[in-house]
PDB file of all heavy atoms in Angstrom:
ATOM      1  N   PRO A 110      24.150   3.738  11.744  1.00  0.00           N
ATOM      2  CA  PRO A 110      25.103   3.806  12.865  1.00  0.00           C
ATOM      3  C   PRO A 110      24.654   3.014  14.076  1.00  0.00           C
ATOM      4  O   PRO A 110      25.474   2.366  14.742  1.00  0.00           O
ATOM      5  CB  PRO A 110      25.168   5.306  13.179  1.00  0.00           C
ATOM      6  CG  PRO A 110      24.733   5.987  11.941  1.00  0.00           C
ATOM      7  CD  PRO A 110      23.715   5.084  11.318  1.00  0.00           C
ATOM      8  N   ALA A 111      23.356   3.049  14.368  1.00  0.00           N
ATOM      9  CA  ALA A 111      22.852   2.320  15.538  1.00  0.00           C
ATOM     10  C   ALA A 111      23.052   0.821  15.391  1.00  0.00           C
ATOM     11  O   ALA A 111      23.468   0.130  16.333  1.00  0.00           O
ATOM     12  CB  ALA A 111      21.373   2.642  15.762  1.00  0.00           C
ATOM     13  N   ILE A 112      22.767   0.298  14.210  1.00  0.00           N
ATOM     14  CA  ILE A 112      22.919  -1.140  13.971  1.00  0.00           C
ATOM     15  C   ILE A 112      24.389  -1.540  14.026  1.00  0.00           C
ATOM     16  O   ILE A 112      24.769  -2.530  14.675  1.00  0.00           O
ATOM     17  CB  ILE A 112      22.297  -1.530  12.613  1.00  0.00           C
ATOM     18  CG1 ILE A 112      20.780  -1.360  12.658  1.00  0.00           C
ATOM     19  CG2 ILE A 112      22.652  -2.976  12.250  1.00  0.00           C
ATOM     20  CD1 ILE A 112      20.112  -1.501  11.302  1.00  0.00           C
ATOM     21  N   LEU A 113      25.239  -0.779  13.369  1.00  0.00           N
ATOM     22  CA  LEU A 113      26.667  -1.124  13.333  1.00  0.00           C
ATOM     23  C   LEU A 113      27.295  -1.058  14.719  1.00  0.00           C
ATOM     24  O   LEU A 113      28.087  -1.942  15.106  1.00  0.00           O
ATOM     25  CB  LEU A 113      27.403  -0.191  12.370  1.00  0.00           C
ATOM     26  CG  LEU A 113      27.019  -0.306  10.887  1.00  0.00           C
ATOM     27  CD1 LEU A 113      27.799   0.715  10.056  1.00  0.00           C
ATOM     28  CD2 LEU A 113      27.265  -1.724  10.372  1.00  0.00           C
ATOM     29  N   ILE A 114      26.962  -0.049  15.488  1.00  0.00           N
ATOM     30  CA  ILE A 114      27.539   0.074  16.835  1.00  0.00           C
ATOM     31  C   ILE A 114      26.982  -1.008  17.753  1.00  0.00           C
ATOM     32  O   ILE A 114      27.711  -1.584  18.573  1.00  0.00           O
ATOM     33  CB  ILE A 114      27.266   1.483  17.386  1.00  0.00           C
ATOM     34  CG1 ILE A 114      28.100   2.505  16.601  1.00  0.00           C
ATOM     35  CG2 ILE A 114      27.584   1.566  18.872  1.00  0.00           C
ATOM     36  CD1 ILE A 114      27.767   3.952  16.896  1.00  0.00           C
ATOM     37  N   ALA A 115      25.700  -1.318  17.610  1.00  0.00           N
ATOM     38  CA  ALA A 115      25.123  -2.394  18.423  1.00  0.00           C
ATOM     39  C   ALA A 115      25.811  -3.724  18.139  1.00  0.00           C
ATOM     40  O   ALA A 115      26.131  -4.484  19.063  1.00  0.00           O
ATOM     41  CB  ALA A 115      23.624  -2.503  18.160  1.00  0.00           C
ATOM     42  N   LYS A 116      26.069  -4.021  16.871  1.00  0.00           N
ATOM     43  CA  LYS A 116      26.743  -5.281  16.534  1.00  0.00           C
ATOM     44  C   LYS A 116      28.196  -5.257  16.998  1.00  0.00           C
ATOM     45  O   LYS A 116      28.756  -6.287  17.370  1.00  0.00           O
ATOM     46  CB  LYS A 116      26.658  -5.541  15.032  1.00  0.00           C
ATOM     47  CG  LYS A 116      25.240  -5.640  14.471  1.00  0.00           C
ATOM     48  CD  LYS A 116      24.306  -6.482  15.307  1.00  0.00           C
ATOM     49  CE  LYS A 116      24.626  -7.970  15.235  1.00  0.00           C
ATOM     50  NZ  LYS A 116      23.615  -8.779  15.973  1.00  0.00           N
ATOM     51  N   LEU A 117      28.825  -4.067  16.978  1.00  0.00           N
ATOM     52  CA  LEU A 117      30.183  -3.939  17.496  1.00  0.00           C
ATOM     53  C   LEU A 117      30.257  -4.384  18.952  1.00  0.00           C
ATOM     54  O   LEU A 117      31.221  -5.037  19.370  1.00  0.00           O
ATOM     55  CB  LEU A 117      30.639  -2.479  17.367  1.00  0.00           C
ATOM     56  CG  LEU A 117      32.009  -2.127  17.968  1.00  0.00           C
ATOM     57  CD1 LEU A 117      33.130  -2.821  17.198  1.00  0.00           C
ATOM     58  CD2 LEU A 117      32.214  -0.616  17.978  1.00  0.00           C
ATOM     59  N   TYR A 118      29.223  -4.046  19.708  1.00  0.00           N
ATOM     60  CA  TYR A 118      29.177  -4.416  21.119  1.00  0.00           C
ATOM     61  C   TYR A 118      28.526  -5.780  21.351  1.00  0.00           C
ATOM     62  O   TYR A 118      28.315  -6.183  22.491  1.00  0.00           O
ATOM     63  CB  TYR A 118      28.418  -3.352  21.918  1.00  0.00           C
ATOM     64  CG  TYR A 118      29.168  -2.056  22.099  1.00  0.00           C
ATOM     65  CD1 TYR A 118      28.544  -0.838  21.859  1.00  0.00           C
ATOM     66  CD2 TYR A 118      30.491  -2.038  22.526  1.00  0.00           C
ATOM     67  CE1 TYR A 118      29.214   0.361  22.031  1.00  0.00           C
ATOM     68  CE2 TYR A 118      31.172  -0.849  22.706  1.00  0.00           C
ATOM     69  CZ  TYR A 118      30.528   0.348  22.460  1.00  0.00           C
ATOM     70  OH  TYR A 118      31.199   1.535  22.635  1.00  0.00           O
ATOM     71  N   GLY A 119      28.156  -6.470  20.288  1.00  0.00           N
ATOM     72  CA  GLY A 119      27.567  -7.793  20.438  1.00  0.00           C
ATOM     73  C   GLY A 119      26.143  -7.785  20.942  1.00  0.00           C
ATOM     74  O   GLY A 119      25.698  -8.745  21.584  1.00  0.00           O
ATOM     75  N   LYS A 120      25.392  -6.731  20.651  1.00  0.00           N
ATOM     76  CA  LYS A 120      24.024  -6.611  21.139  1.00  0.00           C
ATOM     77  C   LYS A 120      23.016  -7.125  20.111  1.00  0.00           C
ATOM     78  O   LYS A 120      23.265  -7.113  18.906  1.00  0.00           O
ATOM     79  CB  LYS A 120      23.706  -5.145  21.464  1.00  0.00           C
ATOM     80  CG  LYS A 120      24.669  -4.515  22.470  1.00  0.00           C
ATOM     81  CD  LYS A 120      24.671  -5.268  23.791  1.00  0.00           C
ATOM     82  CE  LYS A 120      25.644  -4.640  24.777  1.00  0.00           C
ATOM     83  NZ  LYS A 120      25.639  -5.359  26.071  1.00  0.00           N
ATOM     84  N   LYS A 121      21.878  -7.535  20.612  1.00  0.00           N
ATOM     85  CA  LYS A 121      20.790  -7.941  19.737  1.00  0.00           C
ATOM     86  C   LYS A 121      20.089  -6.700  19.186  1.00  0.00           C
ATOM     87  O   LYS A 121      19.866  -5.729  19.906  1.00  0.00           O
ATOM     88  CB  LYS A 121      19.782  -8.810  20.491  1.00  0.00           C
ATOM     89  CG  LYS A 121      20.339 -10.158  20.911  1.00  0.00           C
ATOM     90  CD  LYS A 121      20.584 -11.046  19.706  1.00  0.00           C
ATOM     91  CE  LYS A 121      20.988 -12.449  20.125  1.00  0.00           C
ATOM     92  NZ  LYS A 121      21.170 -13.341  18.970  1.00  0.00           N
ATOM     93  N   VAL A 122      19.735  -6.747  17.904  1.00  0.00           N
ATOM     94  CA  VAL A 122      19.155  -5.579  17.236  1.00  0.00           C
ATOM     95  C   VAL A 122      17.773  -5.907  16.676  1.00  0.00           C
ATOM     96  O   VAL A 122      17.609  -6.899  15.961  1.00  0.00           O
ATOM     97  CB  VAL A 122      20.063  -5.087  16.091  1.00  0.00           C
ATOM     98  CG1 VAL A 122      19.384  -3.941  15.337  1.00  0.00           C
ATOM     99  CG2 VAL A 122      21.413  -4.639  16.626  1.00  0.00           C
ATOM    100  N   MET A 123      16.815  -5.069  17.017  1.00  0.00           N
ATOM    101  CA  MET A 123      15.505  -5.112  16.386  1.00  0.00           C
ATOM    102  C   MET A 123      15.392  -3.887  15.479  1.00  0.00           C
ATOM    103  O   MET A 123      15.430  -2.753  15.952  1.00  0.00           O
ATOM    104  CB  MET A 123      14.374  -5.077  17.417  1.00  0.00           C
ATOM    105  CG  MET A 123      12.982  -5.015  16.790  1.00  0.00           C
ATOM    106  SD  MET A 123      11.673  -4.723  18.007  1.00  0.00           S
ATOM    107  CE  MET A 123      11.712  -6.268  18.903  1.00  0.00           C
ATOM    108  N   LEU A 124      15.271  -4.108  14.182  1.00  0.00           N
ATOM    109  CA  LEU A 124      15.067  -3.016  13.236  1.00  0.00           C
ATOM    110  C   LEU A 124      13.572  -2.850  13.025  1.00  0.00           C
ATOM    111  O   LEU A 124      12.898  -3.753  12.538  1.00  0.00           O
ATOM    112  CB  LEU A 124      15.755  -3.306  11.904  1.00  0.00           C
ATOM    113  CG  LEU A 124      15.558  -2.226  10.827  1.00  0.00           C
ATOM    114  CD1 LEU A 124      16.210  -0.924  11.246  1.00  0.00           C
ATOM    115  CD2 LEU A 124      16.100  -2.692   9.488  1.00  0.00           C
ATOM    116  N   ASN A 125      13.058  -1.692  13.397  1.00  0.00           N
ATOM    117  CA  ASN A 125      11.627  -1.387  13.278  1.00  0.00           C
ATOM    118  C   ASN A 125      11.433  -0.460  12.077  1.00  0.00           C
ATOM    119  O   ASN A 125      11.423   0.758  12.201  1.00  0.00           O
ATOM    120  CB  ASN A 125      11.153  -0.739  14.570  1.00  0.00           C
ATOM    121  CG  ASN A 125       9.651  -0.686  14.717  1.00  0.00           C
ATOM    122  OD1 ASN A 125       9.150  -0.105  15.667  1.00  0.00           O
ATOM    123  ND2 ASN A 125       8.897  -1.273  13.793  1.00  0.00           N
ATOM    124  N   TYR A 126      11.323  -1.057  10.890  1.00  0.00           N
ATOM    125  CA  TYR A 126      11.261  -0.297   9.635  1.00  0.00           C
ATOM    126  C   TYR A 126       9.829   0.160   9.398  1.00  0.00           C
ATOM    127  O   TYR A 126       8.904  -0.641   9.412  1.00  0.00           O
ATOM    128  CB  TYR A 126      11.742  -1.162   8.481  1.00  0.00           C
ATOM    129  CG  TYR A 126      12.029  -0.401   7.201  1.00  0.00           C
ATOM    130  CD1 TYR A 126      13.332  -0.099   6.829  1.00  0.00           C
ATOM    131  CD2 TYR A 126      11.003   0.002   6.356  1.00  0.00           C
ATOM    132  CE1 TYR A 126      13.609   0.595   5.654  1.00  0.00           C
ATOM    133  CE2 TYR A 126      11.265   0.699   5.186  1.00  0.00           C
ATOM    134  CZ  TYR A 126      12.568   0.989   4.847  1.00  0.00           C
ATOM    135  OH  TYR A 126      12.837   1.678   3.692  1.00  0.00           O
ATOM    136  N   ARG A 127       9.639   1.475   9.124  1.00  0.00           N
ATOM    137  CA  ARG A 127       8.300   2.024   9.125  1.00  0.00           C
ATOM    138  C   ARG A 127       7.965   2.860   7.889  1.00  0.00           C
ATOM    139  O   ARG A 127       6.945   3.543   7.868  1.00  0.00           O
ATOM    140  CB  ARG A 127       8.105   2.887  10.382  1.00  0.00           C
ATOM    141  CG  ARG A 127       8.593   2.220  11.659  1.00  0.00           C
ATOM    142  CD  ARG A 127       8.346   3.078  12.866  1.00  0.00           C
ATOM    143  NE  ARG A 127       6.945   3.149  13.192  1.00  0.00           N
ATOM    144  CZ  ARG A 127       6.278   2.254  13.917  1.00  0.00           C
ATOM    145  NH1 ARG A 127       6.906   1.192  14.388  1.00  0.00           N
ATOM    146  NH2 ARG A 127       5.005   2.391  14.164  1.00  0.00           N
ATOM    147  N   SER A 128       8.781   2.828   6.858  1.00  0.00           N
ATOM    148  CA  SER A 128       8.573   3.706   5.705  1.00  0.00           C
ATOM    149  C   SER A 128       7.753   3.037   4.607  1.00  0.00           C
ATOM    150  O   SER A 128       8.033   1.901   4.210  1.00  0.00           O
ATOM    151  CB  SER A 128       9.917   4.146   5.129  1.00  0.00           C
ATOM    152  OG  SER A 128       9.736   4.862   3.926  1.00  0.00           O
ATOM    153  N   GLY A 129       6.786   3.778   4.070  1.00  0.00           N
ATOM    154  CA  GLY A 129       6.024   3.296   2.929  1.00  0.00           C
ATOM    155  C   GLY A 129       6.826   3.307   1.644  1.00  0.00           C
ATOM    156  O   GLY A 129       6.383   2.771   0.626  1.00  0.00           O
ATOM    157  N   GLU A 130       8.016   3.912   1.664  1.00  0.00           N
ATOM    158  CA  GLU A 130       8.886   3.974   0.492  1.00  0.00           C
ATOM    159  C   GLU A 130       9.859   2.801   0.437  1.00  0.00           C
ATOM    160  O   GLU A 130      10.841   2.832  -0.297  1.00  0.00           O
ATOM    161  CB  GLU A 130       9.656   5.294   0.499  1.00  0.00           C
ATOM    162  CG  GLU A 130       8.736   6.503   0.407  1.00  0.00           C
ATOM    163  CD  GLU A 130       9.480   7.813   0.591  1.00  0.00           C
ATOM    164  OE1 GLU A 130      10.040   8.013   1.679  1.00  0.00           O
ATOM    165  OE2 GLU A 130       9.492   8.628  -0.349  1.00  0.00           O
ATOM    166  N   ALA A 131       9.578   1.743   1.193  1.00  0.00           N
ATOM    167  CA  ALA A 131      10.498   0.620   1.320  1.00  0.00           C
ATOM    168  C   ALA A 131      10.861  -0.013  -0.023  1.00  0.00           C
ATOM    169  O   ALA A 131      12.034  -0.313  -0.276  1.00  0.00           O
ATOM    170  CB  ALA A 131       9.906  -0.441   2.250  1.00  0.00           C
ATOM    171  N   LEU A 132       9.886  -0.248  -0.881  1.00  0.00           N
ATOM    172  CA  LEU A 132      10.155  -0.936  -2.140  1.00  0.00           C
ATOM    173  C   LEU A 132      11.160  -0.151  -2.983  1.00  0.00           C
ATOM    174  O   LEU A 132      12.140  -0.714  -3.492  1.00  0.00           O
ATOM    175  CB  LEU A 132       8.857  -1.154  -2.918  1.00  0.00           C
ATOM    176  CG  LEU A 132       8.994  -1.874  -4.267  1.00  0.00           C
ATOM    177  CD1 LEU A 132       9.622  -3.248  -4.084  1.00  0.00           C
ATOM    178  CD2 LEU A 132       7.629  -1.995  -4.946  1.00  0.00           C
ATOM    179  N   ASP A 133      10.931   1.144  -3.120  1.00  0.00           N
ATOM    180  CA  ASP A 133      11.847   1.967  -3.906  1.00  0.00           C
ATOM    181  C   ASP A 133      13.205   2.076  -3.219  1.00  0.00           C
ATOM    182  O   ASP A 133      14.255   2.003  -3.867  1.00  0.00           O
ATOM    183  CB  ASP A 133      11.250   3.348  -4.113  1.00  0.00           C
ATOM    184  CG  ASP A 133      12.079   4.207  -5.055  1.00  0.00           C
ATOM    185  OD1 ASP A 133      12.146   3.856  -6.245  1.00  0.00           O
ATOM    186  OD2 ASP A 133      12.664   5.196  -4.595  1.00  0.00           O
ATOM    187  N   HIS A 134      13.183   2.236  -1.905  1.00  0.00           N
ATOM    188  CA  HIS A 134      14.437   2.345  -1.144  1.00  0.00           C
ATOM    189  C   HIS A 134      15.293   1.094  -1.315  1.00  0.00           C
ATOM    190  O   HIS A 134      16.481   1.160  -1.650  1.00  0.00           O
ATOM    191  CB  HIS A 134      14.117   2.561   0.345  1.00  0.00           C
ATOM    192  CG  HIS A 134      15.307   2.543   1.234  1.00  0.00           C
ATOM    193  ND1 HIS A 134      15.272   2.042   2.520  1.00  0.00           N
ATOM    194  CD2 HIS A 134      16.593   2.938   1.040  1.00  0.00           C
ATOM    195  CE1 HIS A 134      16.464   2.150   3.065  1.00  0.00           C
ATOM    196  NE2 HIS A 134      17.285   2.686   2.196  1.00  0.00           N
ATOM    197  N   LEU A 135      14.711  -0.073  -1.100  1.00  0.00           N
ATOM    198  CA  LEU A 135      15.483  -1.313  -1.159  1.00  0.00           C
ATOM    199  C   LEU A 135      15.902  -1.656  -2.589  1.00  0.00           C
ATOM    200  O   LEU A 135      16.924  -2.313  -2.795  1.00  0.00           O
ATOM    201  CB  LEU A 135      14.669  -2.460  -0.560  1.00  0.00           C
ATOM    202  CG  LEU A 135      14.291  -2.300   0.914  1.00  0.00           C
ATOM    203  CD1 LEU A 135      13.550  -3.529   1.409  1.00  0.00           C
ATOM    204  CD2 LEU A 135      15.509  -2.024   1.775  1.00  0.00           C
ATOM    205  N   THR A 136      15.134  -1.198  -3.561  1.00  0.00           N
ATOM    206  CA  THR A 136      15.508  -1.422  -4.957  1.00  0.00           C
ATOM    207  C   THR A 136      16.680  -0.531  -5.362  1.00  0.00           C
ATOM    208  O   THR A 136      17.669  -0.999  -5.938  1.00  0.00           O
ATOM    209  CB  THR A 136      14.304  -1.154  -5.883  1.00  0.00           C
ATOM    210  OG1 THR A 136      13.228  -2.033  -5.533  1.00  0.00           O
ATOM    211  CG2 THR A 136      14.683  -1.383  -7.338  1.00  0.00           C
ATOM    212  N   ARG A 137      16.588   0.746  -5.044  1.00  0.00           N
ATOM    213  CA  ARG A 137      17.613   1.707  -5.457  1.00  0.00           C
ATOM    214  C   ARG A 137      18.884   1.602  -4.620  1.00  0.00           C
ATOM    215  O   ARG A 137      19.982   1.853  -5.112  1.00  0.00           O
ATOM    216  CB  ARG A 137      17.059   3.130  -5.368  1.00  0.00           C
ATOM    217  CG  ARG A 137      15.966   3.437  -6.377  1.00  0.00           C
ATOM    218  CD  ARG A 137      15.408   4.834  -6.122  1.00  0.00           C
ATOM    219  NE  ARG A 137      14.379   5.190  -7.075  1.00  0.00           N
ATOM    220  CZ  ARG A 137      14.596   5.823  -8.221  1.00  0.00           C
ATOM    221  NH1 ARG A 137      15.825   6.154  -8.559  1.00  0.00           N
ATOM    222  NH2 ARG A 137      13.596   6.124  -9.031  1.00  0.00           N
ATOM    223  N   TRP A 138      18.729   1.262  -3.349  1.00  0.00           N
ATOM    224  CA  TRP A 138      19.864   1.232  -2.427  1.00  0.00           C
ATOM    225  C   TRP A 138      20.197  -0.217  -2.029  1.00  0.00           C
ATOM    226  O   TRP A 138      20.687  -0.481  -0.939  1.00  0.00           O
ATOM    227  CB  TRP A 138      19.567   2.059  -1.181  1.00  0.00           C
ATOM    228  CG  TRP A 138      19.315   3.508  -1.443  1.00  0.00           C
ATOM    229  CD1 TRP A 138      18.462   4.069  -2.357  1.00  0.00           C
ATOM    230  CD2 TRP A 138      19.937   4.622  -0.781  1.00  0.00           C
ATOM    231  NE1 TRP A 138      18.500   5.438  -2.294  1.00  0.00           N
ATOM    232  CE2 TRP A 138      19.381   5.809  -1.342  1.00  0.00           C
ATOM    233  CE3 TRP A 138      20.879   4.723   0.248  1.00  0.00           C
ATOM    234  CZ2 TRP A 138      19.769   7.070  -0.911  1.00  0.00           C
ATOM    235  CZ3 TRP A 138      21.244   5.991   0.676  1.00  0.00           C
ATOM    236  CH2 TRP A 138      20.703   7.148   0.096  1.00  0.00           C
ATOM    237  N   ARG A 139      19.963  -1.129  -2.929  1.00  0.00           N
ATOM    238  CA  ARG A 139      20.108  -2.553  -2.641  1.00  0.00           C
ATOM    239  C   ARG A 139      21.491  -2.895  -2.069  1.00  0.00           C
ATOM    240  O   ARG A 139      21.615  -3.651  -1.106  1.00  0.00           O
ATOM    241  CB  ARG A 139      19.858  -3.356  -3.930  1.00  0.00           C
ATOM    242  CG  ARG A 139      19.960  -4.857  -3.776  1.00  0.00           C
ATOM    243  CD  ARG A 139      19.880  -5.525  -5.144  1.00  0.00           C
ATOM    244  NE  ARG A 139      18.606  -5.262  -5.794  1.00  0.00           N
ATOM    245  CZ  ARG A 139      17.575  -6.090  -5.760  1.00  0.00           C
ATOM    246  NH1 ARG A 139      17.680  -7.240  -5.122  1.00  0.00           N
ATOM    247  NH2 ARG A 139      16.460  -5.796  -6.393  1.00  0.00           N
ATOM    248  N   ARG A 140      22.542  -2.339  -2.666  1.00  0.00           N
ATOM    249  CA  ARG A 140      23.905  -2.730  -2.270  1.00  0.00           C
ATOM    250  C   ARG A 140      24.317  -2.187  -0.904  1.00  0.00           C
ATOM    251  O   ARG A 140      25.236  -2.726  -0.285  1.00  0.00           O
ATOM    252  CB  ARG A 140      24.901  -2.259  -3.325  1.00  0.00           C
ATOM    253  CG  ARG A 140      24.740  -2.960  -4.667  1.00  0.00           C
ATOM    254  CD  ARG A 140      25.801  -2.505  -5.648  1.00  0.00           C
ATOM    255  NE  ARG A 140      25.682  -3.186  -6.928  1.00  0.00           N
ATOM    256  CZ  ARG A 140      26.481  -2.968  -7.967  1.00  0.00           C
ATOM    257  NH1 ARG A 140      27.473  -2.070  -7.865  1.00  0.00           N
ATOM    258  NH2 ARG A 140      26.290  -3.624  -9.100  1.00  0.00           N
ATOM    259  N   THR A 141      23.678  -1.106  -0.475  1.00  0.00           N
ATOM    260  CA  THR A 141      24.046  -0.532   0.823  1.00  0.00           C
ATOM    261  C   THR A 141      23.032  -0.857   1.914  1.00  0.00           C
ATOM    262  O   THR A 141      23.407  -1.209   3.030  1.00  0.00           O
ATOM    263  CB  THR A 141      24.199   0.989   0.700  1.00  0.00           C
ATOM    264  OG1 THR A 141      23.002   1.536   0.103  1.00  0.00           O
ATOM    265  CG2 THR A 141      25.394   1.344  -0.175  1.00  0.00           C
ATOM    266  N   ALA A 142      21.724  -0.737   1.597  1.00  0.00           N
ATOM    267  CA  ALA A 142      20.697  -0.936   2.621  1.00  0.00           C
ATOM    268  C   ALA A 142      20.546  -2.396   3.027  1.00  0.00           C
ATOM    269  O   ALA A 142      20.463  -2.720   4.217  1.00  0.00           O
ATOM    270  CB  ALA A 142      19.365  -0.375   2.136  1.00  0.00           C
ATOM    271  N   LEU A 143      20.501  -3.293   2.045  1.00  0.00           N
ATOM    272  CA  LEU A 143      20.232  -4.696   2.364  1.00  0.00           C
ATOM    273  C   LEU A 143      21.282  -5.319   3.280  1.00  0.00           C
ATOM    274  O   LEU A 143      20.930  -6.028   4.230  1.00  0.00           O
ATOM    275  CB  LEU A 143      20.083  -5.514   1.077  1.00  0.00           C
ATOM    276  CG  LEU A 143      18.827  -5.229   0.251  1.00  0.00           C
ATOM    277  CD1 LEU A 143      18.790  -6.099  -0.995  1.00  0.00           C
ATOM    278  CD2 LEU A 143      17.573  -5.456   1.081  1.00  0.00           C
ATOM    279  N   PRO A 144      22.593  -5.107   3.040  1.00  0.00           N
ATOM    280  CA  PRO A 144      23.578  -5.687   3.964  1.00  0.00           C
ATOM    281  C   PRO A 144      23.412  -5.201   5.402  1.00  0.00           C
ATOM    282  O   PRO A 144      23.612  -5.972   6.351  1.00  0.00           O
ATOM    283  CB  PRO A 144      24.920  -5.239   3.374  1.00  0.00           C
ATOM    284  CG  PRO A 144      24.647  -5.022   1.929  1.00  0.00           C
ATOM    285  CD  PRO A 144      23.253  -4.468   1.883  1.00  0.00           C
TER     286      PRO A 144
END
Side-chain angles (χ1 to χ4, degrees):
I112 293 171
L113 295 178
I114 290 171
K116 301 315 289 185
L117 175 67
Y118 288 133
K120 304 301 179 179
K121 293 291 187 177
V122 175
M123 176 189 291
L124 178 65
N125 194 185
Y126 194 102
R127 313 182 71 84
S128 173
E130 298 173 297
L132 180 59
D133 186 67
H134 174 214
L135 298 183
T136 300
R137 292 175 179 269
W138 299 50
R139 181 188 298 264
R140 294 183 179 180
T141 53
L143 290 180

